[in-house]
Amino acid sequence: QVQLVESGGGLVQAGGSLALSCAASGSTVTTYTMGWFRQAPGKEREFVAASRYPGGHTYYGDSVKGRFTISRDNAKNTVSLQMNSLKPEDTGIYYCASGRPILSEIRSSRAYYYWGQGTQVAVSS
């Protein structure tokens, strides 16, 4: 069993930055694909980024590519999401997830086994 706890959300102005962190316990992030998803009110959960196991290759949603960066700290057993040039449409609850999806499913929330409780990100215009 893997437990995931997100932190780092908050309110920021458009153009600003936030860094989210996801702390894992019960297993190591090194043996799972780690992903970030977000959900805005009234919308479906959306893929944001993933760091794949094995290999560590990273993948991003089209709307965040070039602005967000996912990274792992194996020593601390954490996964981070650095978010720059934030836009109001980035507002939502951000969830950390882990699993072992095949490559074709890496952007699908159904392919992840474990989820955190989420952290709120609000970007004002």
Side-chain angles (χ1 to χ4, degrees), residues 1-36:
Q1 188 78 12
V2 177
Q3 293 81 42
L4 304 173
V5 179
E6 303 96 336
S7 61
L11 174 63
V12 65
Q13 288 189 331
S17 298
L18 276 177
L20 305 183
S21 183
C22 173
S25 61
S27 186
T28 62
V29 299
T30 55
T31 58
Y32 283 89
T33 289
M34 301 299 297
W36 286 95

Side-chain angles (χ1 to χ4, degrees), residues 50-63:
S51 174
R52 188 171 180 235
Y53 168 82
H57 295 289
T58 56
Y59 303 84
Y60 296 93
D62 289 341
S63 61

Side-chain angles (χ1 to χ4, degrees), residues 53-105:
Y53 168 82
H57 295 289
T58 56
Y59 303 84
Y60 296 93
D62 289 341
S63 61
V64 307
K65 203 172 296 182
R67 299 187 296 122
F68 291 11
T69 302
I70 186 172
S71 60
R72 298 175 183 243
D73 186 331
N74 292 335
K76 295 181 179 179
N77 213 27
T78 60
V79 177
S80 298
L81 184 70
Q82 178 65 42
M83 305 186 295
N84 299 328
S85 302
L86 283 162
K87 305 175 181 180
E89 51 263 43
D90 294 318
T91 294
I93 300 175
Y94 282 68
Y95 298 92
C96 177
S98 67
R100 296 195 176 107
I102 59 176
L103 184 56
S104 62
E105 295 181 342

